[in-house]
Amino acid sequence: LPSTGTCAAPRAGRRPGCAYGGSRGGGGGRGDEVWRHALSADASLVSDVFQGQLRSVVCCSECGYEDASYELFWSLPLPLPPARTSGEAPPTLADALDCFCAEEPLDSWRCDRCARQGRGSKRMRLW
């Protein structure tokens, strides 16, 4: 889904087949492990339809280190995108997902690798 603009209050959250996440085919490692555990603990039609997984990545702007974590979800608190000018179509679900997945700056953050206090960023993807 294409990006349709910026979000007034950006938040930086994949279920298999989602256009907002990465590929499950490789590099998922820990994410695949979390997902397999969720399926073994709660495999049902309800979880197949309503459960998903967020991948949160925090990146250090000093050394480039990226730390990923994974979290299961049953619902997403999607922000409302900013109102458009008159005559334009109202915001769509894709607009709300773009806002949810937008990169968020971190001004006072300490990197686990280089131990520097400084700027970083956080982004969430549906995994």
Side-chain angles (χ1 to χ4, degrees):
L1 297 171
S3 177
T4 55
T6 60
C7 180
R11 267 201 68 178
R14 166 171 150 136
R15 182 144 171 94
C18 179
Y20 286 86
S23 168
R24 281 194 154 295
R30 175 77 178 126
D32 290 336
E33 179 184 326
V34 170
W35 189 252
R36 277 192 304 273
H37 177 68
L39 290 178
S40 69
D42 186 23
S44 70
L45 180 61
V46 173
S47 64
D48 286 349
V49 173
F50 293 106
Q51 188 175 37
Q53 183 171 315
L54 293 175
R55 179 178 191 248
S56 174
V57 177
V58 178
C59 181
C60 178
S61 61
E62 299 292 326
C63 70
Y65 174 69
E66 291 189 346
D67 184 26
S69 62
Y70 300 86
E71 179 181 345
L72 298 173
F73 68 86
W74 287 90
S75 64
L76 291 174
L78 296 180
L80 289 175
R84 297 183 178 175
T85 60
S86 66
E88 291 185 331
T92 64
L93 176 58
D95 295 333
L97 285 168
D98 285 343
C99 285
F100 182 81
C101 293
E103 190 168 295
E104 175 183 349
L106 302 173
D107 293 325
S108 183
W109 175 74
R110 184 175 180 86
C111 178
D112 289 341
R113 179 197 277 167
C114 70
R116 291 187 213 152
Q117 186 81 22
R119 300 184 64 96
S121 63
K122 178 180 177 180
R123 64 185 182 273
M124 300 205 25
R125 298 291 182 256
L126 299 174
W127 192 254

